[in-house]
Amino acid sequence: MMKQGKGRAALSSQPETKKFRLLAFGIARDIVGGNEVDIELTDAYSVGALKTALQENYPDFKRLKSLAIAVNETYRTDEHILNTNDEIVIIPPVSGG
Amino acid sequence: MMKQGKGRAALSSQPETKKFRLLAFGIARDIVGGNEVDIELTDAYSVGALKTALQENYPDFKRLKSLAIAVNETYRTDEHILNTNDEIVIIPPVSGG
Amino acid sequence: MIDIQLLTTSLDTQECIRLVEHPSSGGTAVFIGTVRDTTKGKPVIRLEFEAYKPMAIAEMQKIAETIVDRWSALKVVIHHRTGSLNIGEIAVIIAVATPHRKAAFAACEYAIDTLKETVPIWKKEIFEDGDVWVAAHP
Amino acid sequence: MIDIQLLTTSLDTQECIRLVEHPSSGGTAVFIGTVRDTTKGKPVIRLEFEAYKPMAIAEMQKIAETIVDRWSALKVVIHHRTGSLNIGEIAVIIAVATPHRKAAFAACEYAIDTLKETVPIWKKEIFEDGDVWVAAHP
């Protein structure tokens, strides 16, 4: 682990909560009830943790054929770590064409 | 064998020659030197016999990738028997499209 | 060489075909996706398409670049429409010009198959008695 | 349902696409064969097409009927041109509309492959230093 700055060192053993703003399209917009939704994650800020939080807060996401997350216009796997200033988008099953 | 009429009975043991008029397209037109060519067949009037006669009279036909005969706008196999009033067409390798 | 468009207005097949003209092209394959009047026997009133625009364009661009690389395509056009579409209207046009025809067919089919898997565009079918986001559920 | 034409004038892609419009169509595949500027690296000046017309039309009709039977096509158009064609000009347009796209691609590719094997049309490539009947020799 990297050595933390003095302000953060005092909090290093406490879980930290971060808020992420997500864009929602298609059926995801219907599920969250709007074009945007804020999701708070504690300690783990990965795409996987975000998907779990979405499915816990909105169980309808569990019924979809798939659920993907795009970060700054690129699909990302569950291991990818999010930053609060990323453009994060919920991608339900696509159906263009 | 069917019993022949009196006029033909007299000729039944002699070979008979028939003349067939063929249409020629594409490279076949160049080989025979015109849009039409007459071919005489003796005794055997099949598509196979016609092809053999064409290749004997115009050896360039042997150099083609394929040689087909259409009779009344339908491809016919070597066994098919020709009539002198059929529309007979020499079909060199096609290359449409 | 590549022309990608996400449009809210009617798509123009003639324009797409003009865009893929090339003197070394021997074969052009075009796919036109239109709004069908029924889904599993049920009458459809219209379709509504929406897109996550910047990423939809980026993903279509990726498809086109793959086609240029893999099939030596001379020109690739992908135009997709969003908004409300009536029966018979065109949702997508894909045109690929290649020197030989086999590559044009393979590339064009790859494009529409991949578009339907990766490009963030969603369509909702509007029926008389409600609506359904296509392919959302298993 | 089937439109077969053997024409001496320019082929019209827009017209062919219009002819295959159908409310139950979800996918239309179009093949456009154009005159390429080179053959095996050698510059081509123009192409000359000739046809045994009644049989060419009959054989194209057979192809279209097979497509309707085998792929449940809603509409099939095959337009072929004869005469002298310059680089970039269209020699053939095939358009197939089906309810689902896979069938449209398969049927359209079947049509051009079969046309090139069975339809009595011949093309001669005109080079600067002579001409060659395409595919005549092994």
Side-chain angles (χ1 to χ4, degrees), chain D residues 87-122:
Chain D
I87 306 304
E89 287 197 280
I90 299 174
V92 62
I93 301 172
I94 299 171
V96 181
T98 57
H100 300 282
R101 74 183 187 284
K102 285 279 168 204
F105 278 108
C108 194
E109 195 162 10
Y110 165 83
I112 182 64
D113 288 353
T114 307
L115 184 151
K116 283 172 175 277
E117 284 173 11
T118 66
V119 177
I121 297 176
W122 298 270

Side-chain angles (χ1 to χ4, degrees), chain B residues 23-30 60 63-66 70 72-75 87-97, chain D residues 49-52 54-55 58-59 62 80 91-92 112 115-124 133-138:
Chain B
L23 297 177
F25 289 93
I27 199 170
R29 191 159 35 77
D30 294 352
D60 280 350
R63 297 177 51 237
L64 299 184
K65 195 187 285 179
S66 66
N72 302 328
E73 302 174 15
T74 303
Y75 289 108
E87 180 171 277
I88 304 171
V89 181
I90 310 170
I91 310 276
V94 302
S95 53
Chain D
F49 285 83
E50 66 177 63
Y52 171 32
M55 187 171 166
E59 289 291 325
K62 271 190 213 169
H80 203 298
V92 62
I112 182 64
L115 184 151
K116 283 172 175 277
E117 284 173 11
T118 66
V119 177
I121 297 176
W122 298 270
K123 64 171 166 253
K124 190 158 65 169
W133 286 105
V134 175
H137 296 108

Side-chain angles (χ1 to χ4, degrees), chain B residues 51-82:
Chain B
K51 284 186 189 174
T52 302
L54 276 172
Q55 290 172 333
E56 281 170 6
N57 294 356
Y58 303 96
D60 280 350
F61 278 122
K62 293 183 193 165
R63 297 177 51 237
L64 299 184
K65 195 187 285 179
S66 66
L67 179 63
I69 299 294
V71 180
N72 302 328
E73 302 174 15
T74 303
Y75 289 108
R76 293 297 183 187
T77 59
D78 285 356
E79 294 70 36
H80 183 84
I81 302 302
L82 301 166

Side-chain angles (χ1 to χ4, degrees), chain C residues 11-32:
Chain C
L11 302 187
D12 182 343
T13 49
Q14 199 63 4
E15 168 73 358
C16 291
I17 288 166
R18 194 190 59 73
L19 284 167
V20 296
E21 287 176 1
H22 190 289
S24 299
S25 171
T28 297
V30 184
F31 176 75
I32 303 164

